[in-house]
Amino acid sequence: MQLSDRNSRLVLVGTGIGLFGYILPKIVEGIKTSFSGIYIDSFPIGVGHVFSSTLFANALLILGVGICYCYHELHNYGNYDSNESAKYIEKSDKYYRMLLNISYTSFFMILFLNFILLFIVPLVFSNPLITSIITAIIIALALTITIRKWKQNWFKEIFKWFQGLKKYSLHGGIIAVWLLVLPTTMILGLNDNLDTKFKIKFNTDKNPQVEFEFSDHVPDKMPKEISIKIGTTSKQEEILLRRDDFNASFTEVTETEDNNTPLGKYINNHDMFLINKSMYTFKKTLVLTQLTGKEPGFVEIKFKNDSTGTTKSNRTYRIVNQFTTEKDKIIFSQFEYLVDLK
């Protein structure tokens, strides 16, 4: 290949990488939008979630191979000996062919996967008769093939069958990337739709008191128990607040999808919980009658975040706010805390 042809190829791939660099944030935004709602009373993710995740995985894969190609191709412009130059030419050609193969293969695989999820899976799992027929056909085919192969050299045939799978190694690699990226995009997509706020405010306008306010689109981060230790120079006292002690208010938004496809009569409509449009709030005001304004001391607030929602968390939070007294009035070191529970 002439150097001018390599120049054109490098410019083309470089332009494509720049385009993917522009598109990638849009795909990430699409993931956030798709995971703003999850299904309830069924499997939590649907076709939209899978499509955005696989699209993101393909974009990362193509971008990574494209960068590898550019890296090796740029070495062809250096002053190397013939052997080393031939090595970089071979590798750059290899990555360029891989880039082309991955681009169109992953595109058709996404179309095929979405066709299966949109039509085949709902039809199979929503109609018991069709499920029974397909299961019977699969069992019959398996028995037929097994009986025929058993008469021949069984292990040799199995070995040939595994050897034949080599031509699908590219497809297997793409699926492996999908399986690796999907859990990550699920966690990131769900967490990006959360807006966890936990405020702790100390007030001494009238009676000394502490106010707790938790708000989020999903209440999975709300602490189950909060321990408040009040200490002065003469005594200490501990108070335990549970979630039931808080005044709760919430807005839950659900949406039912109407399936207007030809398979709609076979498919049950499922409700979707809209995360970004729902909100949960927990409030509690605790009057600190133990504080008389005559002794300095501290207020210690301690709780664990042991939620099992979108992410598993075992963090322990400890907040200590010291106070002094002046003319029988309590003065806290800090009047408001904004605790990040993400």
Side-chain angles (χ1 to χ4, degrees):
M1 180 180 287
Q2 299 294 326
L3 186 60
S4 58
D5 296 328
R6 290 193 173 276
N7 290 339
S8 301
R9 193 171 71 175
L10 183 60
V11 170
L12 178 63
V13 175
T15 304
I17 290 175
L19 180 62
F20 268 90
Y22 174 78
I23 294 176
L24 205 58
K26 307 293 182 183
I27 298 176
V28 173
E29 189 65 28
I31 291 174
K32 180 181 178 180
T33 302
S34 66
F35 280 96
S36 63
I38 56 175
Y39 292 97
I40 53 180
D41 299 328
S42 65
F43 196 66
I45 65 174
V47 178
H49 305 106
V50 176
F51 177 76
S52 61
S53 298
T54 52
L55 190 64
F56 178 69
N58 286 350
L60 286 180
L61 188 59
I62 293 172
L63 189 62
V65 176
I67 292 174
C68 288
Y69 159 74
C70 291
Y71 170 79
H72 289 92
E73 187 68 86
L74 287 172
H75 281 81
N76 295 321
Y77 295 87
N79 187 17
Y80 300 103
D81 57 54
S82 58
N83 291 332
E84 194 169 3
S85 180
K87 180 184 71 173
Y88 284 117
I89 290 175
E90 180 182 357
K91 286 188 176 182
S92 61
D93 291 341
K94 172 188 172 183
Y95 279 109
Y96 183 73
R97 289 192 298 269
M98 185 185 300
L99 180 62
L100 295 178
N101 290 334
I102 288 176
S103 297
Y104 73 78
T105 302
S106 60
F107 173 75
F108 285 109
M109 285 180 66
I110 283 182
L111 294 181
F112 183 66
L113 175 64
N114 283 276
F115 171 78
I116 292 176
L117 294 176
L118 280 171
F119 297 99
I120 305 300
V121 173
L123 184 61
V124 169
F125 286 97
S126 61
N127 194 311
L129 178 61
I130 295 177
T131 304
S132 301
I133 293 173
I134 293 177
T135 304
I137 291 174
I138 292 174
I139 294 174
L141 287 174
L143 289 174
T144 303
I145 294 172
T146 302
I147 292 171
R148 288 182 178 179
K149 296 295 183 182
W150 192 261
K151 295 178 181 179
Q152 304 171 13
N153 190 334
W154 174 257
F155 296 103
K156 184 178 180 181
E157 293 294 330
I158 290 292
F159 182 73
K160 286 182 178 180
W161 183 78
F162 276 109
Q163 280 188 322
L165 293 178
K166 288 183 179 180
K167 60 182 179 180
Y168 300 106
S169 58
L170 180 62
H171 301 76
I174 294 174
I175 293 175
V177 174
W178 288 357
L179 295 176
L180 288 173
V181 172
L182 181 58
T184 304
T185 54
M186 285 180 60
I187 294 173
L188 294 177
L190 291 173
N191 283 339
D192 281 343
N193 282 283
L194 300 181
D195 187 23
T196 307
K197 294 179 181 177
F198 190 34
K199 294 181 181 179
I200 301 174
K201 186 177 181 181
F202 291 86
N203 195 343
T204 57
D205 291 341
K206 297 180 181 179
N207 296 321
Q209 59 187 23
V210 56
E211 301 172 1
F212 299 92
E213 181 179 350
F214 171 90
S215 62
D216 198 1
H217 296 298
V218 179
D220 62 326
K221 298 289 186 179
M222 174 62 189
K224 294 180 180 179
E225 292 183 346
I226 300 177
S227 171
I228 301 102
K229 184 184 291 185
I230 303 168
T232 62
T233 54
S234 61
K235 64 178 180 178
Q236 289 188 7
E237 184 176 342
E238 187 172 358
I239 302 172
L240 186 64
L241 292 179
R242 293 180 173 86
R243 184 181 294 189
D244 295 339
D245 297 326
F246 286 75
N247 294 322
S249 63
F250 57 88
T251 302
E252 287 183 349
V253 183
T254 59
E255 181 179 79
T256 302
E257 290 187 340
D258 295 326
N259 198 307
N260 297 319
T261 64
L263 296 177
K265 60 182 179 180
Y266 298 109
I267 302 172
N268 295 325
N269 292 322
H270 297 289
D271 290 334
M272 175 177 281
F273 174 68
L274 302 183
I275 297 174
N276 60 343
K277 296 185 181 297
S278 301
M279 181 60 70
Y280 295 81
T281 303
F282 296 85
K283 291 184 179 181
K284 176 67 176 178
T285 299
L286 182 65
V287 179
L288 305 177
T289 55
Q290 301 84 349
L291 305 184
T292 60
K294 296 180 181 180
E295 294 180 298
F298 67 91
V299 177
E300 179 189 270
I301 299 171
K302 192 175 181 180
F303 58 89
K304 290 184 178 180
N305 190 339
D306 55 353
S307 64
T308 56
T310 56
T311 56
K312 177 69 176 176
S313 176
N314 293 306
R315 296 176 181 172
T316 298
Y317 295 82
R318 180 172 176 262
I319 299 168
V320 178
N321 194 8
Q322 293 184 335
F323 61 87
T324 56
T325 59
E326 184 177 336
K327 297 180 180 179
D328 294 337
K329 186 177 180 180
I330 294 175
I331 302 174
F332 285 101
S333 299
Q334 188 170 332
F335 286 93
E336 185 171 331
Y337 295 84
L338 184 60
V339 186
D340 184 8
L341 299 182
K342 280 190 176 182

